[in-house]
Amino acid sequence: MHVSRSFVLRATLSLGCLTVLLLPVDLSPQADNSQTPLIQTDNDIPDLQGNWSIATQTTLERPDRFAGRQSLTAEEASEIEAQVQARSRAADQPGDPERDAPPSGVNVGGYNAFWMDPGDRLAVIDGEVRTSIIIDPPDGQLPYNEQGRANHIAAMQMRESYDGPEVRPMGERCVVGFGSTAGPPKLPVAYNNLTQIVQTRDYVMLLAEMNHDARIIPLEGAMPNSPTNPWLGHSVGRYEGDTLVVETSHFHPQQTLRSSLRHRFYGSTDMHVVERFTRVSEDVILYQFKVTDPENYSQPWRGELPMNRSDDRLYEYACHEGNYAMPGILAGARRAEAEGQPYAPTYSGAPF
């Protein structure tokens, strides 16, 4: 299980005789009026520091029902957000303690709504309520070429393999957060959507709440010609006026598929991502990105999201699937094989 912010804000939780205590992790400079701020905007360096949330109900690709529309009216957005909030309230209701056990083999589900924090608002950019994160191509869809679509399908089929821990997804193994939450490009997931930004004169750190993935980005450097491929790629940054620009490539081969509950994409190890962070108000950073990957896409594709200032703090992230649940996952697969039963459905192309 992944520990979410909705859990840690309660600081302690007793489950039977188990008590969990999580301590906050705060790497940003502490507020102290007697000290000079680490970054000053009057030094021509944009102040991006703090905790920012990318939680939103807006998905990477545009849903079919919004085809041909980049934005919604305020009335449409209010109706959708009200429905989302109503579903969340309904999901928070306690179950019937007298109910019968589910039939054998039925998926009983995972987290309930208590653990979820996907955001209950749609993304707003320049006063527009957006129907997708992708803005180019104009149809809001990933522009896969034939090879890219085949690579994506093959990667999704690989997710149904249980031959060993090495073939299981990165998030399941607690190596990196799932769904590209740390990026690049950064995308929202079901919970833990905060990013903490810390700036020095020579580096910028982007700390993702999910899995405490930290990208430490050197400024004014060249993309290294390195034989290694880090999990989150090699990043270099620079300032262009009031915008932080980060370029990233050389991704790890096991980071080709980025998949979450509501969106996914496939990218090669040579995928090139340019991110732009622009402070557009006291409480909002405009996050824009461009993905170039000729191996998988017929054209570069671009997206944008608001990063909204949050007063929430980042807490220690506890992920232990890779510690003790992995043997259970693999043992279940071996048991199913011995009984001649399928362990998981094959990929059908439908979202999880």
Side-chain angles (χ1 to χ4, degrees), residues 81-96 111-114 116:
E81 291 170 352
Q83 292 171 352
V84 170
Q85 294 165 19
R87 286 196 298 269
S88 296
R89 288 193 296 270
D92 272 335
Q93 299 305 308
D96 179 7
Y111 307 144
N112 58 27
F114 173 86
M116 298 298 184

Side-chain angles (χ1 to χ4, degrees), residues 267-287:
S268 71
T269 56
D270 294 326
M271 177 176 67
H272 184 260
V273 182
V274 178
E275 301 168 283
R276 301 179 66 87
F277 300 79
T278 307
R279 185 84 169 264
V280 294
S281 72
E282 181 68 24
D283 297 320
V284 179
I285 290 174
L286 174 60
Y287 174 66

Side-chain angles (χ1 to χ4, degrees), residues 70 123-130 280 284 286 288 304 306:
Q70 179 173 279
V124 178
I125 304 289
D126 293 332
E128 288 187 348
V129 183
R130 294 293 175 82
V280 294
V284 179
L286 174 60
Q288 301 169 297
E304 53 189 23

